[in-house]
Amino acid sequence: MTDSPRVPAVYPSGVTRYDPDKAWQGYVLFAALDQRSYLIDLQGRVINRWDYYGQPTALIDPAMNGGRKGHVLVRYELRRQQDPRALGNGLNVHAIAELDWHGRPVWIWGDQAPGGSARQHHDWQRLANGNTLLLANKLQRIPGFRLDESIDDIIYEVDPQGRVVWQWLASEHLQEFGFTPEQLELVRNTEHADYLHLNNLKVLGPNKWHEQGDARFHPDNLIIDSREANFIAIVDKQSGKVVWNLGPNYPRLTRENQFSPRLPRPVDQLAGLHDAHLIPQGLPGAGNLLVFDNQGGSGYPPVHLGVMPGSRVLEIDPIRKEIVWQYSALDSGQPVWNFYSSFISSARRLPNGNTLIDEGMTGRIFQVTSDSEIVWEYISPYFGDFLGGCRSNFVYRAQPVPFAWVPDDPVGH
């Protein structure tokens, strides 16, 4: 049941499918539009709750945190003066925080940030050196742009004392993202202030490509992706240069490839993508790139959307730039539109070879096997206010959590 008379009186929520023999056994972490963050088990039971939202609520690996278990990163405080352009970015975020298992803040960053507000959005990560890496926004005039003020994407590395020790600004690297001269003119003349809308930031981590001698895949390098411009890029941490990219120009996604996909094949049209990352070592497909391909309207110029849109999860060999595995609704014997989120969403490989997928705009989180069998499914029952006063249960991102991440003596909410 929902909490509003403006949505259907009966709404399926909680766990709707579960095969314990085939599903990876662990927890799932996500933030909901009721402005809380939840850790649930595969029965849908709440293991813990933090009364803060996150974009995302990010778990901190105890190996990066002095062995402390059960700590998360959240959005802690909004700015008093709200910016109406802040949809989907961090303009209104004043402070971010690390919370312990009991919801107590142990690290807060906001007042020390450039401009006096964190303006964090979409992604962040605690590093092995104790620093925190995060995506943020910077409002500024970009030379050559039509708008007097644009929302630029900036990456900060912040030490435990709150000092910025490294930073990287997207607008300084426009020539490195793969745009044609004609596309660059479209970027510079856009009326959309959030012109790139980076929605992902990950450290590559140890990987086979670097071990085989490819310096572009140094473990310290960073991978980002742009929802508005449809590209994925790897940034060299030492030089700041883009050393690898995919897109923004791709072969057309044909009806043949959509409905009868052949694998492997060259990467075809990505649109509105999210959560691009290398599958970590020790997991099936390690070293390949996993990305949620929303097939949402985006691009310079905008990508054409067909009559029957559907999202995909793609596993890509980053050297050959070929799709080696994919999931769409068709792979589960459903109409292509049964799996579709034009914005937000995520996909993560699991230790048993399954993939945890967040179909964000419907609040649906599910596991599929390597042959696309749905073995666990959960619909978020947590609604909150969205655009224009409507109610939604959307889930920005869902993360798998191993049992061992929970403190040995948990006493949650």
Side-chain angles (χ1 to χ4, degrees):
M1 299 290 288
T2 65
D3 59 357
S4 170
R6 293 174 289 176
V7 297
V10 177
Y11 189 91
S13 64
V15 175
T16 58
R17 185 178 303 188
Y18 180 29
D19 184 336
D21 293 327
K22 295 182 179 180
W24 173 77
Q25 299 298 313
Y27 299 129
V28 178
L29 175 67
F30 65 94
L33 278 187
D34 64 358
Q35 304 303 303
R36 297 182 177 96
S37 300
Y38 295 91
L39 184 72
I40 64 169
D41 65 15
L42 296 194
Q43 301 282 356
R45 296 173 296 205
V46 175
I47 303 303
N48 200 21
R49 189 191 80 212
W50 296 264
D51 289 335
Y52 293 90
Y53 187 70
Q55 197 179 11
T57 298
L59 67 86
I60 301 178
D61 185 343
M64 309 291 180
N65 205 34
R68 293 184 293 272
K69 296 182 177 183
H71 286 219
V72 294
L73 295 167
V74 299
R75 187 179 72 184
Y76 192 67
E77 181 184 353
L78 296 180
R79 299 176 68 198
R80 293 180 180 176
Q81 297 296 322
Q82 302 285 288
D83 192 312
R85 296 169 296 183
L87 177 64
N89 57 53
L91 294 184
N92 287 339
V93 177
H94 174 66
I96 57 179
E98 173 187 347
L99 304 182
D100 68 12
W101 178 259
H102 303 287
R104 297 173 296 218
V106 297
W107 181 77
I108 299 174
W109 192 69
D111 292 339
Q112 317 102 302
S117 289
R119 291 182 169 175
Q120 176 271 338
H121 67 93
H122 286 94
D123 224 343
W124 43 3
Q125 186 174 351
R126 179 61 49 81
L127 303 177
N129 62 3
N131 294 351
T132 303
L133 193 72
L134 60 99
L135 261 176
N137 285 136
K138 182 177 182 179
L139 273 173
Q140 64 170 358
R141 165 72 178 168
I142 301 176
F145 272 51
R146 175 182 180 178
L147 295 179
D148 291 333
E149 197 172 47
S150 295
I151 302 172
D152 215 346
D153 287 294
I154 190 166
I155 300 173
Y156 295 121
E157 182 178 339
V158 180
D159 72 12
Q161 289 72 45
R163 297 171 297 207
V164 175
V165 297
W166 184 87
Q167 61 184 11
W168 178 92
L169 188 64
S171 61
E172 296 176 350
H173 300 272
L174 288 178
Q175 301 283 352
E176 302 168 21
F177 293 135
F179 295 119
T180 66
E182 294 77 16
Q183 287 173 315
L184 272 176
E185 284 305 302
L186 292 175
V187 171
R188 293 187 177 106
N189 286 295
T190 182
E191 295 182 352
H192 184 32
D194 195 6
Y195 70 104
L196 288 182
H197 194 85
L198 298 186
N199 59 42
N200 178 71
L201 169 66
K202 303 284 191 309
V203 177
L204 289 186
N207 62 86
K208 65 182 181 181
W209 313 116
H210 183 256
E211 292 171 356
Q212 293 169 8
D214 194 330
R216 299 174 299 173
F217 292 83
H218 190 284
D220 292 339
N221 288 352
L222 311 177
I223 188 167
I224 58 175
D225 66 55
S226 167
R227 189 217 179 276
E228 293 304 311
N230 298 335
F231 67 75
I232 303 171
I234 292 177
V235 176
D236 183 273
K237 185 73 181 304
Q238 291 298 315
S239 68
K241 299 293 185 182
V242 173
V243 292
W244 178 96
N245 71 288
L246 184 65
N249 299 297
Y250 307 86
R252 185 171 62 92
L253 175 58
T254 65
R255 180 177 289 268
E256 176 187 9
N257 284 345
Q258 183 180 22
F259 288 94
S260 300
R262 54 183 175 82
L263 297 174
R265 71 176 189 274
V267 178
D268 43 28
Q269 182 67 60
L270 306 181
L273 61 160
H274 282 77
D275 199 33
H277 62 280
L278 293 189
I279 298 172
Q281 284 187 331
L283 299 181
N288 286 340
L289 188 151
L290 199 63
V291 61
F292 192 105
D293 175 26
N294 298 72
Q295 290 296 307
S298 57
Y300 294 97
V303 173
H304 172 72
L305 295 179
V307 175
M308 293 182 286
S311 297
R312 307 180 294 174
V313 173
L314 301 179
E315 180 181 340
I316 297 167
D317 181 320
I319 305 301
R320 296 180 179 274
K321 297 186 177 179
E322 290 182 339
I323 301 171
V324 298
W325 178 84
Q326 74 171 37
Y327 174 79
S328 74
L330 292 167
D331 298 302
S332 292
Q334 304 172 24
V336 66
W337 58 82
N338 272 22
F339 171 52
Y340 184 53
S341 182
S342 63
F343 67 107
I344 57 178
S345 310
S346 62
R348 300 295 171 88
R349 183 58 43 81
L350 299 171
N352 68 347
N354 291 355
T355 302
L356 180 73
I357 300 172
D358 168 33
E359 185 184 352
M361 73 181 189
T362 64
R364 176 182 177 230
I365 307 168
F366 61 106
Q367 279 190 43
V368 297
T369 64
S370 59
D371 57 1
S372 301
E373 180 183 356
I374 299 173
V375 295
W376 180 78
E377 182 183 64
Y378 173 86
I379 311 296
S380 172
Y382 306 111
F383 282 72
D385 292 330
F386 191 44
L387 293 175
C390 69
R391 304 284 285 174
S392 174
N393 67 333
F394 88 56
V395 172
Y396 165 62
R397 182 183 291 173
Q399 301 163 82
V401 180
F403 292 134
W405 181 80
V406 171
D408 298 331
D409 55 346
V411 180
H413 291 278

